[in-house]
Amino acid sequence: MNKKTTFVSMNVASYINDLLYRYDCVIVPNFGGFVTNKISARVNNFTHTFNPPAKQITFNSHLKHNDGLLANYIASSENITFEAAVKKIEEAVFLWQESLQTNAVTIDAVGTLALNEEKQLVFEPNKATNYLTEAFGLSTVQSSAIERYKQEVKPLPVTNDEVVTSPSSEKRIIPAFIKYAASAAILVILGTAGYKMHVTSQEKEAYSKQLEKVDEKIQSATFVIDQPLPAINLTVEKAITKEFHLIAGSFQKAENADKKLQQLINQGYNARILGVNKWGLIQVAFDSYETKEEAKKELYTIQNQVNPDAWLLVKKFD
């Protein structure tokens, strides 16, 4: 292991760290993929802490196919070719796999990878790093527990205006002002209810008359267009009905995708741009086929003669 190889490994790790702020998945070819899941703000009732929303990082060792995202980012950042960027990734992966045999590997601020007793990769994310840009600047807040208390309510003073004898022969005093207040409240409620019924009846009658006038105006209205707009003929491109596509490359920039498309057309392929995938990359295909057998046969030919990184995408476009 030399200093140059170690530097390449650290450099690739920093690029992975950068991409996780913008994408939900970053795949390292022939190694695995770092996948993010958005989680909402959380409250810990035991520690009395408030955690902001964040991106939770997981590692999937089955995501090994090169989707071009990491390589394209390295190539554009260092102003090198795509092939040179792929070579850098291969060197970093070789170093990580070699180091994992004896030690844990730290991927920049993303987290740590290590082998368990069954020789399986175990990922421990760095919880101090929040890759959710919406929560930038927000940190965990701790609050002291809130103590709740009950305020003692003192009884109101009473006057001996009326004495009521209960069935148990105990005397109970009812304040005079409470008796009068209850009577006044009943009168106010009854008066308000009667007023509302009267007003509601008047409003319904007025609203009904307004609707009749509007209907009369609509029935008598006539709409005439002296100069109608000319008809517009739209040419709609036929949708892609074939669902087996041979992918030539995935590109972050539109100009690079157009350049690749023109290159394939000049070589005689019925190439097309399929659109943008879920990682924000523009996919360019050699051609599309109706059957899987036909697509696999052509894929083997292209991999042996033109591009060994070509791969088959099965997707039906509406």
Side-chain angles (χ1 to χ4, degrees):
M1 184 188 306
N2 53 41
K3 292 184 178 180
K4 180 180 178 181
T5 307
T6 305
F7 175 76
V8 169
S9 171
M10 295 175 60
N11 214 16
V12 172
S14 66
Y15 289 131
I16 296 173
N17 182 72
D18 294 344
L19 289 172
L20 285 173
Y21 283 101
R22 289 178 281 172
Y23 297 94
D24 294 331
C25 180
V26 178
I27 297 177
V28 181
N30 300 319
F31 188 70
F34 296 92
V35 183
T36 67
N37 295 299
K38 185 177 179 180
I39 56 177
S40 304
R42 307 171 309 286
V43 178
N44 191 322
N45 295 326
F46 297 99
T47 60
H48 308 292
T49 55
F50 299 86
N51 300 306
K55 272 186 177 182
Q56 188 177 38
I57 308 296
T58 58
F59 181 78
N60 190 336
S61 59
H62 298 289
L63 298 176
K64 297 183 178 182
H65 181 75
N66 185 8
D67 62 351
L69 175 62
L70 181 59
N72 271 309
Y73 182 65
I74 295 175
S76 61
S77 299
E78 298 187 4
N79 196 21
I80 59 177
T81 63
F82 182 85
E83 291 73 15
V86 172
K87 185 67 176 178
K88 282 181 175 288
I89 298 174
E90 292 175 351
E91 292 177 3
V93 169
F94 176 79
L95 178 61
W96 293 340
Q97 290 176 340
E98 186 179 38
S99 300
L100 282 170
Q101 303 305 317
T102 55
N103 300 304
V105 174
T106 300
I107 309 296
D108 200 69
V110 181
T112 304
L113 286 165
L115 292 177
N116 59 13
E117 295 179 357
E118 289 78 20
K119 298 300 181 181
Q120 296 176 336
L121 273 177
V122 178
F123 176 67
E124 181 65 29
N126 182 6
K127 297 181 180 180
T129 305
N130 190 350
Y131 291 96
L132 185 63
T133 55
E134 301 170 6
F136 179 78
L138 300 180
S139 59
T140 301
V141 177
Q142 187 171 12
S143 173
S144 57
I146 300 175
E147 297 182 359
R148 303 183 182 276
Y149 64 93
K150 295 182 179 180
Q151 185 176 3
E152 183 181 358
V153 179
K154 296 181 179 180
L156 294 172
V158 297
T159 58
N160 297 331
D161 293 326
E162 183 177 348
V163 179
V164 179
T165 304
S166 64
S168 59
S169 299
E170 293 181 357
K171 293 182 178 181
R172 180 164 53 89
I173 300 173
I174 301 177
F177 76 90
I178 293 180
K179 181 173 61 177
Y180 298 144
S183 301
I186 293 173
L187 292 175
V188 169
I189 292 172
L190 292 175
T192 304
Y195 175 75
K196 285 185 176 179
M197 292 177 61
H198 177 68
V199 172
T200 303
S201 176
Q202 289 183 343
E203 289 179 349
K204 286 184 178 180
E205 184 178 356
Y207 181 68
S208 177
K209 291 181 179 180
Q210 290 179 356
L211 287 179
E212 292 178 359
K213 292 181 180 180
V214 171
D215 290 338
E216 292 177 359
K217 291 182 180 180
I218 292 175
Q219 292 175 3
S220 62
T222 303
F223 300 94
V224 178
I225 301 177
D226 296 332
Q227 296 180 352
L229 295 174
I232 300 176
N233 297 322
L234 297 177
T235 303
V236 180
E237 184 178 355
K238 186 178 179 180
I240 301 175
T241 57
K242 301 176 182 179
E243 57 181 302
F244 300 96
H245 319 277
L246 299 186
I247 303 301
S250 303
F251 304 89
Q252 187 175 10
K253 296 182 179 180
E255 54 266 26
N256 293 337
D258 293 336
K259 183 178 179 181
K260 186 64 176 180
L261 175 66
Q262 192 59 46
Q263 179 185 353
L264 296 177
I265 293 175
N266 294 338
Q267 293 176 358
Y269 292 101
N270 186 23
R272 56 165 55 93
I273 293 179
L274 299 180
V276 180
N277 62 14
K278 63 180 180 179
W279 296 295
L281 297 176
I282 304 171
Q283 293 179 316
V284 181
F286 283 97
D287 203 346
S288 300
Y289 304 88
E290 294 182 353
T291 64
K292 188 175 182 179
E293 291 74 16
E294 184 183 7
K296 290 176 66 176
K297 181 180 179 181
E298 187 64 23
L299 175 63
Y300 296 145
T301 303
I302 291 176
Q303 287 179 336
N304 292 330
Q305 300 179 5
V306 182
N307 184 1
D309 293 327
W311 56 283
L312 175 62
L313 170 66
V314 181
K315 184 174 181 181
K316 187 174 182 180
F317 294 87
D318 297 330

